[in-house]
């Protein structure tokens, strides 16, 4: 944390007015914190672009005044979007990804979700940090914007804290279905949709644009790869599939045909 910012960070509860004045940012309101960074380690000093992106992001999400921007290092910036009494951002995260892809495709944004007051000021930033940890662990699987309050993100973010244990758990739950190849990936996607649609082949087929018999066949093949069906420990399977969706090869069993190896998250 930048040293000149630390004292205000710690003072927000007891000296709110002074901290607000020093930061030029009102703490008693709703906040949307985000971390913006350049994933390319050789990008050099990106702060000017990051600060520009922070202002664009703030306006796009519905800021009522100028955002607070803090430079964390040469390739990372912290931003708080002042939302006043607004309880939801003006745009959703799908729209945000499209906006960032068009305007700032060389950057990645982790969003902490909307919180309120001085404690929320810290809390939203902490959540953005966790979302960022997941984005870094996901590597190429991560979208241009990742939000802590999107379904599954907060859960998978916690599991990145112990990469080896997460990898071992995923592989023990999915077994052969955790193979890092295209066939297993197709089966995992089918099972994930099948479970999300309450084990309905027909409903899953509509989502996947397949014939329901194709879904039925893939689910059967997936169960064979796993060594059992998906009814006994459905919650564990759904969570393991969600982790695979985000973290990909980092938690999958290397495909020997590709000469793969297990790496860190």
């Amino acid at each position: 944390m930048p040293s000149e910012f630390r004292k205000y960070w710690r003072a927000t509860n007891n000296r709110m007015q002074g901290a607000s004045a020093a930061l030029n940012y009102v703490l008693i309101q709703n906040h949307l914190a985000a971390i913006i960074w350049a994933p390319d380690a050789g990008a050099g000093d990106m702060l000017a672009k990051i600060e520009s992106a922070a202002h664009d992001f703030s306006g796009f999400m519905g800021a009522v005044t100028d955002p607070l921007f803090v430079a964390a290092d040469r390739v990372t910036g912290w931003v708080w979007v002042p939302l006043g009494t607004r309880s939801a951002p003006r745009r959703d995260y799908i729209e945000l990804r499209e906006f960032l892809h068009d305007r700032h495709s060389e950057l990645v944004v982790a969003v902490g979700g909307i919180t309120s007051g001085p404690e929320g000021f810290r809390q939203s930033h902490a959540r953005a940090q966790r979302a960022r940890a997941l984005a870094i662990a996901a590597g190429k699987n991560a979208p241009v914007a990742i939000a802590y309050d999107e379904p599954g993100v907060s859960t998978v973010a916690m599991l990145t804290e112990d990469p080896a244990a997460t990898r071992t758990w995923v592989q023990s739950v999915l077994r052969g279905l955790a193979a890092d190849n295209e066939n297993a990936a197709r089966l995992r996607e089918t099972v994930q949709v099948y479970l999300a649609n309450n084990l309905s082949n027909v409903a899953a087929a509509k989502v996947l644009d397949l014939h329901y018999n194709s879904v039925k066949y893939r689910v059967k093949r997936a169960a064979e790869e796993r060594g059992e069906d998906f009814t006994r420990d459905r919650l564990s399977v759904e969570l393991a599939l969600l982790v695979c969706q985000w973290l990909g090869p980092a938690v999958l069993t290397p495909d020997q045909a590709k000469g793969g190896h297990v790496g860190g998250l």
Side-chain angles (χ1 to χ4, degrees):
M1 180 179 296
S3 57
E4 69 275 12
F5 184 66
R6 189 178 293 115
K7 61 181 178 180
Y8 303 124
W9 179 266
R10 292 173 176 171
T12 51
N13 274 340
N14 298 326
R15 298 192 296 275
M16 289 182 288
Q17 291 183 341
S20 291
L23 294 170
N24 194 27
Y25 181 90
V26 177
L27 293 170
I28 304 177
Q29 64 172 319
N30 291 337
H31 319 277
L32 179 66
I35 299 171
I36 305 175
W37 74 100
D40 181 2
D45 193 336
M46 294 286 288
L47 278 179
K49 289 185 177 181
I50 290 171
E51 186 167 6
S52 174
H55 283 270
D56 286 348
F57 163 76
S58 181
F60 189 77
M61 299 304 279
V64 296
T65 58
D66 288 339
L68 171 63
F69 179 79
V70 176
D73 55 43
R74 293 189 308 161
V75 294
T76 310
W78 302 344
V79 59
W80 282 263
V81 179
L83 293 175
T85 59
R86 192 188 286 272
S87 60
R90 187 172 64 184
R91 305 296 184 93
D92 62 33
Y93 295 130
I94 294 175
E95 292 175 304
L96 175 61
R97 291 187 184 104
E98 293 173 351
F99 174 76
L100 293 170
H101 185 270
D102 291 341
R103 298 285 296 272
H104 302 283
S105 60
E106 73 276 30
L107 302 175
V108 181
V109 178
V111 184
I114 295 178
T115 53
S116 182
E119 182 58 32
F121 177 80
R122 291 190 290 263
Q123 187 179 65
S124 187
H125 176 75
R127 291 174 176 177
Q129 290 280 22
R130 295 188 190 102
R132 184 191 185 209
L134 174 55
I136 291 172
K140 294 181 179 179
N141 281 1
V144 67
I146 178 173
Y148 183 85
D149 54 350
E150 288 185 289
V153 170
S154 60
T155 301
V156 180
M158 287 190 292
L159 293 174
T160 64
E161 295 177 6
D162 190 340
T166 298
R167 183 185 306 113
T168 299
W169 176 77
V170 166
Q171 294 176 6
S172 69
V173 170
L174 298 181
R175 300 174 208 140
L177 197 56
D180 184 12
N181 58 52
E182 291 183 7
N183 181 59
R186 186 163 49 247
L187 296 179
R188 285 194 299 272
E189 179 190 22
T190 302
V191 172
Q192 193 171 24
V193 175
Y194 170 74
L195 294 175
N197 284 274
N198 202 27
L199 285 69
S200 169
N201 293 319
V202 175
K206 290 180 180 178
V207 174
L208 295 166
D209 196 23
L210 294 170
H211 192 279
Y212 75 90
N213 279 336
S214 297
V215 173
K216 184 176 181 181
Y217 172 77
R218 288 187 184 180
V219 171
K220 179 175 179 293
R221 286 286 300 119
E224 291 171 353
E225 290 291 333
R226 185 177 181 241
E228 65 174 299
D229 66 20
F230 306 102
T231 56
R232 182 182 64 83
D233 55 350
R234 176 176 170 179
L235 181 60
S236 292
V237 172
E238 288 184 296
L239 180 54
L241 291 171
L242 182 64
V243 174
C244 291
Q245 177 186 331
W246 275 102
L247 300 180
V251 295
L252 298 175
T253 305
D255 187 350
Q256 299 303 318
K258 297 192 298 186
H261 65 280
V262 174
L265 292 186

